[in-house]
Amino acid sequence: MESESKHSKDTESRILQAAEKEFFEKGYAGARTASIAETAGVTHAMLHYYFRTKDRLFEKIISGKMGLLKDMLLSAIGDNDLPLEERIRQGVERHFDFISANRNLPRFIVNEIISHPDRIRIMEMSTRDIADSLLKNLQAEIDEYAAQGHCKKVDALMLLIDIVSLNVFPFMAAPIVKGAIGNRFENYDEFLALRKKENVETILNKLKIH
């Protein structure tokens, strides 16, 4: 039974990896379940057995990515054992690293919402928990730090939006940014490493933590 369960999980994992590649490269409309099945090394009937429809696959991938993002942010910003400055620093860095590891995800999500506005419901359901889990406690702590004169009082929601905007831009606008920076860096990853540091300092300077 244990070997069967492991085999089932391996098969599901292969299908999800193949589906992610197919969706991100071709978009939802262009993705084909037959192609996903072939890449995953399974029959079309087996793919249907595991996920039923292309919509189910899409929702599974998006919710999975948002779940990873939620866990990552909570483990950083939500760690009450660390000073606020270190938690914000780790939150910015880990979010940047998450986008770097999923470079096609932001563009894919934006394109899907533009072409299919109804799909924003899936995004909202996946991200609402992240915001609800972080904002209330983060705002309370920022307010407490500000009252003690340790930082500037800012809106926690606006702060999170600033973090997302700063981190996502170098990936969403990569062709434009590459043209703008020219040959100043050995490669784009070198630029991204510097950009991550700059984003951290920008956010901390907004808070003026000292």
Side-chain angles (χ1 to χ4, degrees), residues 74-86:
L74 287 177
S75 68
I77 299 177
D79 186 353
N80 293 324
D81 293 330
L82 293 175
L84 181 61
E85 178 178 2
E86 183 58 27

Side-chain angles (χ1 to χ4, degrees), residues 8 32 81 100 115 119 122 136 157 166 175 191 198:
S8 178
R32 297 289 179 266
D81 293 330
S100 184
S115 57
R119 293 211 178 101
I122 299 174
K136 185 176 180 180
L157 175 60
L166 284 169
F191 164 77
E198 291 288 332

